[in-house]
Amino acid sequence: MSPLLKIRSERDQMSAIERRIADYLLENAHLLRDYSSQQLANALGISQSSVVKFSQKLGFKGYPDLKFSIGEAIARGDRHDDGAGAQAAPADPNQALAERLWHGKARAEEETRLINPPERIEAIAELIQHARRVYVIGLGEDGVPARALSMKLAMIGILGIHHFDPVLMAASTASAGAGDVLLVLSEQGKLTSLCHLARSFAESGGRVVSATRHTPNPLRAHADHALLVSAHDERAHVEPLLYHSALQHLLDLIFVLLCERGQDRLRQLDRQAERVQDMLDI
């Protein structure tokens, strides 16, 4: 994995000092060849040992190894810059904006894929496949992918129950037990109502799957399985777009895995799609 991509994907798990180092390395990667560990420490106003420990935490022997690895990554073109590098900027400003957005989404999806190992995705798909009922909830913007997922599950013969209100969901899950799954989508994972819902569901014997940012949060702590999303951008209006793009990619991957587990799922999907189309044609 590119060291810069590794830094991006693990940034949310870092301490405040480590995030300062990470941000500086990401923003000034092309200048690192001229920086010693002491010069980097001086630029950030921290101790040299903090730089060394940061490098070792990423799996390198020390700062020189990290600096060399970053230099190699840049030489290979692995920096994953938002812009087009040394290429001339396109004449159409909208084209430049679109390309930057596409680069940002691609980077967020790649980072997210790397922090969700295949065995975790497989375990969650297996859990949903054999579930008696799958309850899905998300509040605010998270409600859109939550509702879409529950509908997709229903199309392939999995009972998906969606609510946009945690009180209604609490009432629906009152009879939940072993064999039931609750999937909770919450970007920050800090909403008290959702944490309470997840805790109650787990106490009833059900299994909880959370989908949050790649940060320590209460909801993630209550989950049996956690889907993690890594998406960052300095523009406040763009960062949520990257988050939801990466989240949707995760959910789509699980749906595709479920669809391809035997022809019965695909045949059921085809039948349901035909029924929906017949209704639309009336």
Side-chain angles (χ1 to χ4, degrees):
M1 184 194 304
S2 162
L4 294 173
L5 183 55
K6 185 176 179 64
I7 290 171
R8 284 186 185 276
S9 65
E10 296 186 6
R11 183 186 179 279
D12 287 341
Q13 299 287 72
M14 297 178 181
S15 66
I17 290 179
E18 290 169 344
R19 284 197 297 271
R20 287 176 58 195
I21 299 173
D23 291 343
Y24 193 87
L25 294 180
L26 292 170
E27 293 170 6
N28 301 280
H30 60 291
L31 301 175
L32 291 185
R33 63 181 180 274
D34 301 322
Y35 275 70
S36 67
S37 58
Q38 186 60 62
Q39 289 172 319
L40 178 59
N42 291 341
L44 291 170
I46 59 177
S47 66
Q48 184 181 18
S49 64
S50 295
V51 176
V52 175
K53 290 178 181 177
F54 175 86
S55 304
Q56 293 173 339
K57 188 173 180 179
L58 289 174
F60 296 92
K61 293 181 180 179
Y63 174 73
D65 286 340
L66 173 60
K67 181 170 70 171
F68 178 75
S69 181
I70 290 176
E72 281 192 324
I74 292 175
R76 292 194 306 265
D78 292 344
R79 185 178 174 189
H80 297 283
D81 283 331
D82 289 335
Q87 298 177 3
D92 181 3
N94 291 334
Q95 181 181 344
L97 188 64
E99 289 180 355
R100 187 179 181 190
L101 182 60
W102 277 117
H103 279 297
K105 287 185 175 182
R107 186 179 64 243
E109 290 173 6
E110 184 176 5
E111 292 172 9
T112 297
R113 176 175 55 82
L114 291 171
I115 60 176
N116 290 276
E119 55 270 20
R120 179 186 301 164
I121 301 297
E122 184 71 24
I124 293 172
E126 185 78 12
L127 196 64
I128 294 174
Q129 180 181 8
H130 299 292
R132 182 176 57 170
R133 291 168 295 196
V134 180
Y135 299 90
V136 189
I137 187 170
L139 305 184
E141 292 190 15
D142 287 314
V144 176
R147 182 174 62 177
L149 178 61
S150 65
M151 292 177 63
K152 290 175 183 175
L153 293 178
M155 294 284 283
I156 58 174
I158 296 175
L159 180 55
I161 302 170
H162 168 259
H163 284 296
F164 58 86
D165 186 329
V167 175
L168 293 176
M169 182 61 85
S172 292
T173 58
S175 60
D180 293 324
V181 175
L182 173 66
L183 178 56
V184 188
L185 280 56
S186 176
E187 182 173 356
Q188 303 303 332
K190 297 179 180 179
L191 292 173
T192 303
S193 58
L194 295 182
C195 292
H196 177 74
L197 181 64
R199 183 172 61 251
S200 299
F201 194 87
E203 289 173 352
S204 70
R207 307 293 292 278
V208 178
V209 178
S210 66
T212 69
R213 278 192 173 274
H214 183 39
T215 54
N217 60 72
L219 180 58
R220 181 178 171 186
H222 290 305
D224 297 289
H225 299 280
L227 291 171
L228 305 174
V229 178
S230 177
H232 304 283
D233 196 284
E234 68 277 9
R235 297 164 294 173
H237 60 293
V238 171
E239 188 169 59
L241 303 180
L242 305 188
Y243 171 82
H244 285 287
S245 175
L247 172 64
Q248 190 62 60
H249 187 76
L250 266 183
L251 299 177
D252 287 345
L253 175 58
I254 292 173
F255 176 70
V256 170
L257 284 174
L258 292 169
C259 286
E260 297 186 355
R261 290 188 168 195
Q263 291 301 312
D264 287 344
R265 298 286 188 204
L266 293 176
R267 281 194 291 267
Q268 183 140 11
L269 179 61
D270 290 339
R271 287 196 300 268
Q272 295 295 343
E274 288 178 4
R275 289 180 61 189
V276 171
Q277 189 59 50
D278 288 342
M279 294 178 64
L280 294 174
D281 290 340
I282 294 176

